[in-house]
Amino acid sequence: MVELKTNREIDEMRAAGRVVARALAAVRKAAGVGVSLRELDAVARTVLHGAGASSPFLGYRPRFAPVPFPAVVCASVNDAIVHGIPGDYRLRDGDLVSIDCGAELGGWVGDAAVSFTVGRPRPADLRLIETAEAALAAGIAAAVPGNRVGDIAHAVGTVCRTAGYGIPDGFGGHGVGRTMHEDPGVPNEGPPGRGTKLRPGMVLAIEPMLIAGATDDYACDADGWTLRTSDGSRAAHAEHTVAVTAGGPRILTAP
């Protein structure tokens, strides 16, 4: 069931979204050659704690997971697409990093992700990240009353496919509200004009995931969480929590 939020509730969700934005900015600033992923997770924890927020990621265990998620961010490096567990890996020059973070504040959740490079970037990585951000922008632009979820999926997928990138099958965005994952699902590809009709008060996490290789295939690490490209090519992830309003899309996790 899709829950519609009032304008006041959307304002309250914006407060959670600001915490997410601050956490992502702090992690990005701290990321550098030699810094461990575990240290980046600690940076995000500090931001959440300082804001009086909790993490919807920490301890989360969906059906597919063998263990609860042990961190407050997903840290995915190079060929990892999403759901990377922050560990002792230390960032190297030229790494491509995707950080996904959530915050729960006042009973509401915000969820966003950003990809960036560390040290000297590869031009191909910059293009991949720019395309992920362009796909996210296209998806957000389609999040208007009267459109359907399929219009968001089509907008995202068109940008990705036109650039020649793969899209991991079965993974995409979702509704957000009192919990991190609510109805409806928001695919990253599909025909326009189909799916749930968008109405003011709907809040969605729109999150393109791109694979640099032409394949859509991926595999899961032994940790049961980390998804990696099957061909070893790099991946990028971009995400915002977006409210559908009569005045147009409102990005709740913007800085």
Side-chain angles (χ1 to χ4, degrees):
M1 183 178 71
V2 176
E3 178 189 356
L4 300 180
K5 284 75 174 178
T6 66
N7 290 335
R8 179 177 177 179
E9 289 172 336
I10 289 173
D11 287 341
E12 292 172 352
M13 290 192 70
R14 172 60 175 145
R18 285 193 181 97
V19 176
V20 175
R22 290 200 297 270
L24 287 174
V27 168
R28 184 169 187 166
K29 183 177 180 180
V33 174
V35 176
S36 75
L37 300 182
R38 196 183 306 277
E39 289 169 334
L40 295 184
D41 185 68
V43 169
R45 288 175 189 250
T46 298
V47 174
L48 295 183
H49 179 75
S54 60
S55 170
F57 289 18
L58 184 62
Y60 179 61
R61 188 179 183 182
R63 286 192 299 258
F64 67 79
V67 296
F69 196 76
V72 304
V73 300
C74 297
S76 307
V77 180
N78 296 333
D79 64 333
I81 307 168
V82 288
H83 302 163
I85 296 176
D88 294 327
Y89 176 85
R90 293 191 176 275
L91 295 173
R92 302 170 184 173
D93 186 47
D95 277 348
L96 192 166
V97 184
S98 298
I99 302 292
D100 192 353
C101 183
E104 183 175 352
L105 184 68
W108 297 102
V109 172
D111 186 11
V114 63
S115 293
F116 54 86
T117 58
V118 174
R120 292 168 293 182
R122 301 181 182 184
D125 289 347
L126 295 179
R127 178 174 175 266
L128 180 66
I129 292 169
E130 289 170 359
T131 305
E133 293 172 347
L136 175 58
I140 292 171
V144 296
N147 272 359
R148 294 184 178 272
V149 166
D151 294 307
I152 297 175
H154 180 71
V156 169
T158 297
V159 173
C160 298
R161 295 301 190 188
T162 299
Y165 295 129
I167 301 171
D169 184 46
F171 287 86
H174 47 87
V176 186
R178 295 286 184 184
T179 61
M180 183 166 57
H181 292 127
E182 297 184 353
D183 291 333
V186 185
N188 283 327
E189 187 173 33
R194 297 186 182 180
T196 303
K197 190 172 184 178
L198 304 181
R199 292 180 288 168
M202 292 177 66
V203 180
L204 309 171
I206 301 172
E207 50 177 324
M209 305 166 196
L210 281 64
I211 298 174
T215 179
D216 296 348
D217 296 334
Y218 58 87
C220 187
D221 279 3
D223 62 21
W225 279 99
T226 307
L227 301 185
R228 293 189 186 276
T229 62
S230 61
D231 62 358
S233 64
R234 296 194 170 195
H237 181 201
E239 178 184 16
H240 271 308
T241 296
V242 181
V244 179
T245 78
R250 182 182 177 189
I251 303 174
L252 303 183
T253 45

